[in-house]
Amino acid sequence: MCLQTISVMNGTVMSMVIPCLGGRLVSGSATNSKPADRPVTAIPGAPPELADLSLERTDHYVRLILPGWWRTCGWSPLGGGLTRARNMFILRVHEDGSRAPSEYPPPETTLDRYCREHHWSSPTIGMMTAASMDSCRWAWRNEAGVAVGVILTAGLANARRAGDRADYQEKNDHALPAGTINILAATNAKLTDAALLEALMIMTEAKAAVLSEYGIKSAVSGLVATGTGTDCATLACGEGPPLRWCGKHVLFGEMLGRAVMEALSSSIAWEVNR
């Protein structure tokens, strides 16, 4: 398996680090497929508050390694809900529309087995996508001792709008279109349960805003999509400055929303222009 390090310090992988206005936001992408001899120990551009995070990226997965058992909130086949995690990863699976869902093991079984095979410490958040790992992008924002980072992959073939007619029934057992936007986010701040849930709302609205800007249409209704039919998102938080809220009126809500928009915009630009 071809292992890539995402680093601006070696010649095997090209990374793009783009400062935003004021130098408060950076984003990047790995674009070289040459193998590297070791995983990264830090993520390029990560602010000091999140310097202990690391990222491992291969042709088959992207994994965010947390410095401890951080509290997490989100939805994903493996480890969803309000819980704790040490690893968060997105696994690439191959499309196969010729097989019905019942012919595959449950997603959580596949993801858990993958973790065990790679000896990743539990607990772990796991997501799936058919999107290329070349769609992986990340962005950071930090201010006043608080930092937030977003790492995501994006596929658009399964674009949907909230409220679209449902096109899956378990009794029909037919394969759904592939295409998923998966978002992993982390902050050093210590969020309340309410703030964690509110943060997921901000992440979702930011995603919908980017899809609107690009004019991505739902395959069902033909209207502007707000996501895909299989999106997942999780936010992990540390033990830093306490935050009670995460809305549009507070700085953290702004930081998180802008990070999601920066990373997703870059990923979609790659997808539509390749």
Side-chain angles (χ1 to χ4, degrees):
M1 181 167 59
C2 171
L3 182 65
Q4 296 177 320
T5 61
I6 301 178
S7 173
V8 294
M9 298 303 293
N10 68 58
T12 62
V13 175
M14 296 176 60
S15 292
M16 178 175 59
V17 181
I18 308 172
C20 193
L21 291 177
R24 296 163 56 196
L25 177 65
V26 294
S27 65
S29 62
T31 58
N32 194 313
S33 61
K34 293 181 181 179
D37 57 1
R38 61 182 177 84
V40 296
T41 56
I43 308 173
E49 296 89 348
L50 293 177
D52 290 336
L53 294 179
S54 56
L55 183 69
E56 183 179 13
R57 179 180 179 274
T58 77
D59 293 336
H60 303 287
Y61 65 85
V62 56
R63 178 171 67 120
L64 179 63
I65 306 162
L66 302 169
W69 286 22
W70 282 16
R71 293 176 62 240
T72 61
C73 179
W75 65 96
S76 58
L78 180 66
L82 282 163
T83 183
R84 289 184 178 269
R86 183 65 192 273
N87 296 281
M88 302 163 68
F89 80 108
I90 303 168
L91 176 66
R92 187 185 186 194
V93 293
H94 294 290
E95 301 178 45
D96 187 358
S98 64
R99 299 172 64 184
S102 61
E103 298 182 64
Y104 295 93
E108 61 271 23
T109 300
T110 299
L111 291 163
D112 182 64
R113 183 182 301 142
Y114 203 84
C115 291
R116 294 176 184 276
E117 290 173 352
H118 287 73
H119 306 290
W120 293 341
S121 58
S122 297
T124 297
I125 304 297
M127 306 174 182
M128 285 181 168
T129 184
S132 168
M133 287 296 109
D134 288 336
S135 72
C136 180
R137 297 292 188 273
W138 64 93
W140 308 99
R141 197 169 179 85
N142 68 301
E143 192 166 330
V146 173
V148 62
V150 170
I151 297 166
L152 57 79
T153 59
L156 302 175
N158 191 22
R160 294 291 187 273
R161 182 182 179 90
D164 275 352
R165 174 181 51 81
D167 54 358
Y168 173 73
Q169 298 291 335
E170 290 189 16
K171 62 183 180 182
N172 294 335
D173 196 35
H174 65 279
L176 291 171
T180 300
I181 298 172
N182 285 325
I183 305 175
L184 306 176
T187 177
N188 66 311
K190 183 178 182 179
L191 276 64
T192 63
D193 287 353
L196 280 168
L197 293 168
E198 196 173 19
L200 292 178
M201 177 194 72
I202 292 292
M203 293 165 66
T204 302
E205 289 191 24
K207 173 184 65 179
V210 174
L211 293 175
S212 177
E213 289 176 1
Y214 277 87
I216 305 300
K217 300 294 183 64
S218 163
V220 172
S221 64
L223 300 174
V224 174
T226 55
T228 83
T230 48
D231 289 349
C232 291
T234 293
L235 172 66
C237 70
E239 296 293 329
L243 293 178
R244 186 179 179 187
W245 308 112
C246 177
K248 300 182 192 68
H249 291 292
V250 299
L251 179 60
F252 185 75
E254 173 198 334
M255 292 162 58
L256 177 60
R258 288 185 179 274
V260 171
M261 294 174 74
E262 178 78 9
L264 184 56
S265 181
S266 176
S267 184
I268 291 179
W270 172 83
E271 173 73 20
V272 299
N273 291 319
R274 65 176 176 145

